[in-house]
Amino acid sequence: MAKSITLGGKGSSLTSAAVFQIANRLAEVRIDSSLIDKLSSSSSSSPSEAKKKQNHELSRYQISFPDFITLEESRASMVVLLNKLVLSGGVIRSQLVELIGGRLNFGIGEGIGGLEVGEIDVTEEERRVIESCLGTMDGICGILDHEVTGLVGVIDVVAALSCEALKADVSVFGSLDLGDGFSVKSEAAVGGDLRVLLNGSKLVGKVEVGAVSDVPSVHGSLREAVKAVHSRARVEFNSGVRGGKEGNRKAWLIVLMPLAMALRDLGESSLHRAKLNVRSIASDDVSTSVRGLLEEEILKGNEKLVDTFRSVSDVALREEHAKFLHGVNSLLSLVRRVVSLEMVTAVISLEGSELLDRKQEPSASPANVNGGSSNAEKKGEKKRKKAVLGKGTAVIVQLIKDRLQSNLADVVDELSIVRKAIETLDSLLDPKGADFDDFSATVKEIVESNESRRLPKLPKGTRDFAKEQMAVRERQFSIITNVFKRHGAMALDTPAFELKETLTGKYGEDSKLIYDLADQGGELCSLRYDLTVPFARYVAMNGLTSFKRYQIAKVYRRDNPSKGRFREFYQCDFDIAGQFEKMGPDFEIIKILTELLNELEIGDYEVKLNHRKLLDGMLEICGVPPEKFRTICSSIDKLDKQSFDQVKKEMVEEKGLTVEIADRIGTFVNERGPPLELLSKFKQGHREFWENEGSSVALNELEILFKALEKSKCIDKVIFDLSLARGLDYYTGVIYEAVFKGTTQVGSIAAGGRYDNLIGMFGTKQVPAVGVSLGIERVFAIKEQEHKEKNEVIRANETQVLVSILGDDLPLAAELVSELWDARIKAEYMVHKNVIKHLTRANKSGIPLIVIVGEHEIKEGIVKLKELGPIPEDAVEATVPRSRFVEEIQARLLRKRDSSAAAS
């Protein structure tokens, strides 16, 4: 043999792959020479001692295996035994090690029924090692580990072929890891590999198939089971004898029973897809007998799978260890054949009669004799040409076809072809087969190649915005900016990251969501969490005493992404810093918020409002210790998502409040209603709030605020809500949160409050401030859903004119379109001989006006203007002198603008 595996060398270890190779005579075993010398010297320190040991300490021992154990399994067990003897060191004689090594290499004692070692001379210590090792039959576990690892490497590609054969919806493969902390890593990995294999496929994505949707969970479970077996094998093969005569049977049972169950599930899932594949095969591609044969094979496979797994379970319960290991090994072989059957059915479904029709060569066809082909053949060829496989599966299908072509060269009968194909692909998936390594390496190369792994993928919690989405966003940003400027705000921009010390200690329990940067250039930096703290830092750094500013920029939070919740998103902030009349800035901020939401036309909403001093006063009245105010506020802030019972449990069990205090808090946080009405109720019925210093200040301020909001005609959108807490640490006064009341579930869409002490935290004098932050991403989600429900077409560009040159005269196009650009008209150009291409371009982009110039127009010194309407037949044409075409277009665009303004 060309390959040898050394045992006993320095740093060497026995792997499952080595056990498999030696057991199947794919490699020979070699004992490290230095180890042999060591064993020889330790076992014969003097001739007299060696003779005494031989005469009095050796006894005859019969090494045998149960009748049901195969030759491969018995050889594998002997390999592990040999390694255990080697690991036992000086207590083992070199003669025994060389004897077993020689029998493995030369096949002594091997027969059809298995391996017969016979009686050998052993010492008591050697007997103990042999009985312990053969009692556990660890070698069979090595075969299992190696073969099932090989199977895991190829089952995904077989399932991918079935996905294409069934035209299955595979969107589930891309939604297995949402970054919410609850995804299963093995399932997400399976989904990722399947996406790589199916990348570019035009066959998938149409039909929902349960046997396809469960592939990630079934294959992922098998991966996890294999990982556990592999870890156990590595330990057991390379450690000394443990556990006495019974060895570590229990340990093997714990890891192998889940493997058996995972193999059973894989077999059932694969058989289900195979059955569906047969149904998907076109009736004119295979004969009834072939379809019947495939269905019969599937039925037999199912019966054998049920019987084999039942047998494995029975012997496991009876603790018949050797039979259990042998049974799992048999189950693995059966499942591998089932998978090969699925592969055959998928390939036949995808390739049709091309695989099975071997009776005639194309030249022998009557139609081909006359140099043509039948309509049916042409139609079939056309159909197959349209079937575009994935980049990965296309390579695999071609490899399988090549393998089948070479193995089926002399077979012409359809049934024989199918039977031979099943055997061929079973061999292809068998690690003992000559072609398995090449096939497995091809699959691995596809899945792991850099090119394939460059599939477009966004980081969790981020998103792209297509041209239509950007058109909507830009319109919304324009509305927001106009509202901000209407109130005299000035724009400000700050860095995307700040010093970590700037951000820490400002966000309470949410500080854990701050993104720290890895490469910090000698400074500890973090991505900004919001725009308020950077604004406060800017005011403090520059010694400002008043500033009305707005900022629209991205912020970053290390949150668990979910619907409407991202890790990177825009915030639109408006803040007023400085000393002003009492509650004046607070009133204006809330007025701005209602203007924003009204002009954005998001639908029904409400602005929940509370006061931090009122909240603190309530906690003090209820008996909450001052040091727990902020953490209890964080709990109360969850009431919009959780029931009070859940929040109460958190306050009592996690934050140490008594049940009585928590219940008293509950009586107050349920208070909500129209602002002036609820304020009047507090004046009359809750004297304890007026007697508390903080809450009395809050109620007086709220009275001023509510009256101002009433006069500004926006109080109808405000709800006084004592459950609103806002968990951020820096709030000191009024707090508010806008909530969308429509069908789209997006949570709060804007929030803010007063923060009088934040700017002073940066080491300067205190500058009071109040602000609001609009969660524009959630507003976009509402608008996108609105467009979807109304089936509105969103125009992504603002082009007003398309200059269409009928020919290839680029200089002419440059001249005309430049005149339009110089006149500040939004224009594009197109150079093409086909006028239909120009009209299609204009209609697709929603361009209302076309300037058409062909040979005739050039000769006459004119241009043709074509106004497009919603209906192509309604298009209006006019001829205009070349020298006046810009003025004419300006006039037409002005009329259109006036007409649109009048209509609105």
Side-chain angles (χ1 to χ4, degrees):
M1 292 182 190
K3 183 175 182 179
S4 64
I5 294 171
T6 301
L7 301 182
K10 186 176 181 180
S12 65
S13 61
L14 182 63
T15 65
S16 294
V19 172
F20 173 84
Q21 290 168 352
I22 297 171
N24 288 281
R25 302 188 66 81
L26 301 174
E28 66 179 9
V29 64
R30 188 178 75 85
I31 309 301
D32 185 74
S33 58
S34 61
L35 177 71
I36 294 294
D37 293 340
K38 181 180 177 181
L39 294 177
S40 298
S41 61
S42 63
S43 60
S44 55
S45 54
S46 68
S48 59
E49 288 180 4
K51 185 174 182 181
K52 180 180 179 182
K53 190 173 186 177
Q54 182 177 5
N55 291 336
H56 300 287
E57 296 184 20
L58 296 180
S59 60
R60 302 293 288 174
Y61 183 80
Q62 176 77 33
I63 296 181
S64 60
F65 298 94
D67 294 340
F68 55 81
I69 295 294
T70 66
L71 177 60
E72 176 195 32
E73 292 170 340
S74 55
R75 282 181 58 85
S77 298
M78 291 298 289
V79 174
V80 177
L81 168 60
L82 180 59
N83 195 57
K84 292 284 188 182
L85 291 168
V86 166
L87 290 172
S88 298
V91 298
I92 305 299
R93 296 169 302 124
S94 60
Q95 296 94 317
L96 179 60
V97 171
E98 290 176 321
L99 171 68
I100 295 176
R103 297 206 171 189
L104 284 170
N105 287 339
F106 300 110
I108 300 172
E110 294 178 4
I112 298 175
L115 177 65
E116 290 293 338
V117 180
E119 286 191 345
I120 57 174
D121 291 327
V122 296
T123 65
E124 189 60 34
E125 184 62 27
E126 290 167 348
R127 177 195 294 272
R128 188 182 70 83
V129 174
I130 293 171
E131 287 181 345
S132 177
C133 186
L134 296 186
T136 57
M137 303 292 285
D138 289 353
I140 302 179
C141 303
I143 297 172
L144 278 169
D145 180 23
H146 181 75
E147 292 199 0
V148 77
T149 300
L151 184 63
V152 164
V154 296
I155 53 176
D156 291 343
V157 76
V158 179
L161 294 176
S162 289
C163 290
E164 294 183 306
L166 299 174
K167 297 179 175 57
D169 179 4
V170 296
S171 58
V172 66
F173 300 157
S175 60
L176 294 166
D177 190 359
L178 299 176
D180 56 4
F182 296 104
S183 58
V184 180
K185 188 175 180 180
S186 59
E187 293 181 14
V190 171
D193 291 348
L194 286 164
R195 288 180 63 235
V196 170
L197 291 163
L198 294 167
N199 181 31
S201 175
K202 302 297 183 184
L203 292 175
V204 297
K206 300 176 181 67
V207 182
E208 188 171 339
V209 181
V212 167
S213 300
D214 69 6
V215 168
S217 60
V218 172
H219 290 199
S221 296
L222 182 60
R223 289 190 182 195
E224 292 174 1
V226 170
K227 186 177 179 180
V229 172
H230 187 71
S231 298
R232 173 57 58 180
R234 188 172 65 249
V235 171
E236 294 298 335
F237 292 172
N238 297 287
S239 58
V241 174
R242 298 180 297 174
K245 189 173 182 179
E246 294 298 312
N248 289 302
R249 294 183 177 185
K250 293 283 187 185
W252 279 119
L253 180 63
I254 290 170
V255 296
L256 288 178
M257 198 62 214
L259 174 65
M261 296 172 70
L263 286 171
R264 186 270 314 272
D265 292 344
L266 172 63
E268 289 178 348
S269 179
S270 184
L271 283 170
H272 191 181
R273 288 190 296 275
K275 188 185 299 183
L276 296 174
N277 289 341
V278 173
R279 293 177 186 171
S280 71
I281 298 172
S283 57
D284 55 351
D285 279 347
V286 299
S287 65
T288 305
S289 57
V290 168
R291 195 182 298 273
L293 173 62
L294 291 172
E295 290 173 346
E296 182 183 351
E297 288 288 334
I298 293 170
L299 182 61
K300 287 180 181 178
N302 186 62
E303 291 174 350
K304 289 181 180 178
L305 183 66
V306 171
D307 292 342
T308 305
F309 182 75
R310 183 183 295 118
S311 175
V312 168
S313 301
D314 289 344
V315 294
L317 289 172
R318 295 197 300 269
E319 298 186 355
E320 298 179 26
H321 187 67
K323 282 187 177 180
F324 171 67
L325 297 183
H326 174 74
V328 177
N329 199 19
S330 301
L331 179 63
L332 171 59
S333 299
L334 174 60
V335 171
R336 184 174 59 237
R337 183 171 178 83
V338 165
V339 173
S340 67
L341 180 59
E342 180 190 353
M343 184 186 282
V344 169
T345 59
V347 172
I348 292 176
S349 178
L350 290 169
E351 297 299 315
S353 57
E354 184 180 336
L355 273 179
L356 303 178
D357 190 6
R358 309 182 60 79
K359 297 177 182 178
Q360 296 177 338
E361 293 299 323
S363 59
S365 169
N368 285 334
V369 171
N370 297 321
S373 60
S374 68
N375 289 335
E377 288 173 333
K378 287 180 180 178
K379 193 177 289 185
E381 289 174 7
K382 187 175 181 181
K383 182 181 178 183
R384 271 190 286 276
K385 284 179 182 176
K386 288 183 179 178
V388 180
L389 298 174
K391 292 180 181 179
T393 51
V395 175
I396 298 301
V397 167
Q398 189 56 53
L399 187 153
I400 292 170
K401 286 168 64 177
D402 292 344
R403 183 66 54 215
L404 292 177
Q405 292 288 348
S406 62
N407 285 7
L408 304 177
D410 300 326
V411 186
V412 294
D413 172 64
E414 272 193 340
L415 295 179
S416 299
I417 290 172
V418 173
R419 291 190 181 97
K420 186 70 173 176
I422 296 173
E423 292 178 10
T424 300
L425 296 188
D426 187 32
S427 175
L428 187 65
L429 301 183
D430 187 351
K432 291 187 282 291
D435 300 318
F436 174 80
D437 287 343
D438 290 340
F439 179 68
S440 180
T442 300
V443 174
K444 185 176 181 181
E445 183 180 358
I446 292 170
V447 172
E448 296 183 354
S449 66
N450 289 332
E451 181 179 354
S452 297
R453 280 299 182 186
R454 265 185 236 122
L455 287 174
K457 182 182 178 183
L458 284 169
K460 300 167 190 173
T462 64
R463 60 188 296 205
D464 287 324
F465 295 96
K467 54 186 181 180
E468 293 83 7
Q469 292 172 305
M470 284 305 301
V472 174
R473 290 171 75 86
E474 287 176 351
R475 286 198 285 271
Q476 306 301 320
F477 281 139
S478 177
I479 292 171
I480 294 165
T481 303
N482 287 336
V483 171
F484 287 163
K485 288 184 176 180
R486 185 187 307 153
H487 289 263
M490 295 166 281
L492 174 70
D493 191 24
T494 56
F497 56 91
E498 298 272 352
L499 291 176
K500 186 173 182 179
E501 65 191 44
T502 299
L503 303 181
T504 52
K506 314 297 192 304
Y507 303 108
E509 294 183 1
D510 285 347
S511 293
K512 62 188 177 184
L513 303 182
I514 295 174
Y515 265 114
D516 294 331
L517 297 181
D519 183 11
Q520 298 162 356
E523 294 179 321
L524 297 178
C525 298
S526 302
L527 292 176
R528 61 187 175 205
Y529 178 89
D530 65 4
L531 301 178
T532 306
V533 172
F535 167 65
R537 188 263 310 152
Y538 175 84
V539 172
M541 273 182 58
N542 291 276
L544 303 180
T545 56
S546 67
F547 188 17
K548 185 184 283 189
R549 85 87 167 86
Y550 77 89
Q551 184 174 0
I552 300 175
K554 288 182 177 180
V555 297
Y556 305 87
R557 297 184 183 178
R558 195 165 53 86
D559 210 343
N560 287 327
S562 59
K563 185 177 179 63
R565 184 183 291 272
F566 301 96
R567 289 177 169 177
E568 177 195 61
F569 55 95
Y570 273 97
Q571 280 189 342
C572 304
D573 277 26
F574 187 105
D575 292 83
I576 302 173
Q579 292 284 356
F580 297 93
E581 65 282 345
K582 183 180 288 188
M583 304 312 292
D586 308 73
F587 144 70
E588 187 174 4
I589 290 288
I590 296 172
K591 176 63 176 174
I592 289 169
L593 175 56
T594 59
E595 287 179 9
L596 282 174
L597 299 179
N598 289 338
E599 294 186 31
L600 289 170
E601 298 179 333
I602 66 166
D604 196 14
Y605 68 90
E606 68 178 21
V607 178
K608 297 191 294 184
L609 186 147
N610 199 0
H611 199 296
R612 182 53 73 83
K613 290 179 180 177
L614 179 63
L615 190 63
D616 287 351
M618 179 194 74
L619 296 179
E620 185 178 344
I621 291 167
C622 291
V624 177
E627 66 272 12
K628 291 189 177 182
F629 280 8
R630 293 289 75 86
T631 186
I632 296 303
C633 281
S634 295
S635 298
I636 295 173
D637 201 37
K638 298 174 183 177
L639 282 170
D640 60 336
K641 305 180 186 70
Q642 299 178 8
S643 68
F644 180 74
D645 286 340
Q646 291 173 300
V647 172
K648 174 183 173 181
K649 183 178 180 181
E650 178 181 307
M651 291 191 294
V652 173
E653 295 183 3
E654 297 180 22
K655 299 186 176 180
L657 291 190
T658 65
V659 174
E660 293 76 15
I661 292 177
D663 286 335
R664 197 167 184 200
I665 291 173
T667 63
F668 290 122
V669 295
N670 287 325
E671 296 277 9
R672 74 188 305 270
L676 290 171
E677 182 181 315
L678 188 56
L679 184 64
S680 176
K681 180 180 177 181
F682 266 85
K683 280 186 175 181
Q684 298 170 9
H686 292 293
R687 294 199 56 81
E688 65 267 40
F689 280 87
W690 293 96
E691 294 169 356
N692 180 276
E693 181 181 356
S695 60
S696 64
V697 170
L699 290 170
N700 286 323
E701 290 181 351
L702 288 175
E703 185 173 14
I704 298 171
L705 174 64
F706 292 159
K707 288 180 178 179
L709 292 174
E710 183 182 32
K711 292 297 183 181
S712 68
K713 297 181 174 57
C714 64
I715 198 168
D716 59 314
K717 291 293 185 181
V718 178
I719 296 293
F720 188 8
D721 188 341
L722 265 71
S723 71
L724 180 67
R726 302 292 297 149
L728 301 182
D729 280 358
Y730 52 67
Y731 287 127
T732 59
V734 173
I735 51 177
Y736 31 83
E737 181 177 272
V739 180
F740 179 58
K741 297 173 69 176
T743 55
T744 305
Q745 299 297 315
V746 294
S748 66
I749 50 180
R754 173 162 286 280
Y755 50 98
D756 288 346
N757 302 326
L758 180 58
I759 295 172
M761 292 176 69
F762 294 102
T764 60
K765 64 180 180 180
Q766 295 290 3
V767 179
V770 62
V772 66
S773 179
L774 179 68
I776 192 65
E777 304 295 349
R778 296 183 177 183
V779 173
F780 290 145
I782 294 168
K783 299 302 288 185
E784 286 172 5
Q785 183 63 30
E786 180 184 306
H787 290 308
K788 185 177 180 181
E789 290 173 354
K790 294 180 179 179
N791 201 25
E792 291 181 352
V793 177
I794 300 171
R795 189 180 171 199
N797 64 58
E798 298 180 1
T799 305
Q800 298 168 303
V801 182
L802 177 65
V803 176
S804 299
I805 305 300
L806 302 180
D808 55 2
D809 194 344
L810 177 61
L812 176 60
E815 179 185 1
L816 295 177
V817 77
S818 293
E819 290 184 31
L820 294 173
W821 289 337
D822 291 342
R824 301 298 184 264
I825 295 172
K826 298 169 182 174
E828 297 181 54
Y829 70 89
M830 182 176 179
V831 179
H832 200 284
K833 295 178 181 179
N834 190 339
V835 69
I836 302 299
K837 296 282 187 181
H838 294 271
L839 295 174
T840 301
R841 163 83 175 275
N843 279 315
K844 187 174 181 181
S845 299
I847 301 173
L849 190 59
I850 306 180
V851 176
I852 301 175
V853 181
E855 291 183 5
H856 171 72
E857 286 78 16
I858 294 173
K859 288 178 183 178
E860 298 295 326
I862 60 173
V863 299
K864 184 185 293 183
L865 300 184
K866 191 179 185 77
E867 287 191 50
L868 300 179
I871 303 173
E873 291 76 10
D874 293 343
V876 179
E877 288 189 8
T879 300
V880 179
R882 161 74 179 79
S883 59
R884 293 186 52 251
F885 93 103
V886 175
E887 291 82 353
E888 179 63 25
I889 287 173
Q890 286 175 321
R892 287 173 180 257
L893 292 175
L894 182 59
R895 288 197 297 271
K896 272 183 171 292
R897 185 163 57 248
D898 292 343
S899 176
S900 298
S904 61

